[in-house]
Amino acid sequence: MSATNAYASGHQFRQALAPHIGDNPTFVDAFKQAGFYLDDLVLEPVNWLSPSERQAIHSASIASLAKRLRDYDAPLVVAFMKGIATPVKAAIAASGVSCQFEVVPFPGNGRQAEFRSAMTAILPMLLNR
C-alpha cells in the first residue's frame, strides 16, 4: 500500500467511526476504549509482492492471526479488504472463537463511498455489542 492509500484508508476509517466513538484524546485512544482492536492478517508489508506471493503469505499468516483472535475473544471480526476474506475466515475457524464475520471493501482506489456504506451498515453491530 502506498503512503497515500494508507492515509486515505485510515482517514475513511476514522470518518466512519469517530462520530460514534469520539476522538478524545485521540481517535486511536477512543477506538481502544470502545473495546476495538485493529490487526493485520500479515504483519509485514506485502503490497510490492506478486499476487501469488501475497497469497502464500496470507496462508502462512493464518495461525498467527488465529492466536491473536483467541487473545482478543472479539464478538465481531471485520476484514478490511475482500481479498483477505478467505484467510481471515480460516483464522477465525482455527482460533476456535465464536464470532460474527463481516467484510468491507478496502477504502482506497476510488472505493471510499463503498467502504463508508459498508461500515455504516455494520456500525450498529460494532456499537451495540
Side-chain angles (χ1 to χ4, degrees):
M1 173 183 339
S2 71
T4 303
N5 278 345
Y7 173 78
S9 63
H11 179 72
Q12 294 298 319
F13 182 64
R14 181 177 182 201
Q15 268 191 323
L17 279 177
H20 304 280
I21 65 170
D23 58 3
N24 190 7
T26 67
F27 174 71
V28 172
D29 291 330
F31 187 79
K32 289 178 185 175
Q33 289 170 3
F36 300 137
Y37 301 90
L38 185 60
D39 203 340
D40 288 311
L41 170 63
V42 178
L43 299 178
E44 68 268 351
V46 296
N47 297 35
W48 49 271
L49 298 174
S50 71
S52 61
E53 290 171 314
R54 272 196 304 266
Q55 208 167 30
I57 290 176
H58 288 170
S59 294
S61 300
I62 291 170
S64 174
L65 179 58
K67 181 194 177 308
R68 295 190 308 276
L69 289 172
R70 278 191 297 275
D71 293 341
Y72 302 146
D73 195 24
L76 173 66
V77 173
V78 180
F80 277 39
M81 189 172 83
K82 292 178 181 180
I84 63 168
T86 298
V88 172
K89 277 194 228 179
I92 293 168
S95 75
V97 172
S98 176
C99 66
Q100 185 170 345
F101 177 64
E102 298 291 333
V103 181
V104 297
F106 183 77
N109 303 318
R111 301 189 83 171
Q112 292 86 353
E114 192 178 343
F115 171 80
R116 282 192 305 274
S117 176
M119 285 300 296
T120 298
I122 65 169
L123 274 173
M125 290 180 268
L126 288 170
L127 301 172
N128 296 320
R129 51 182 178 73

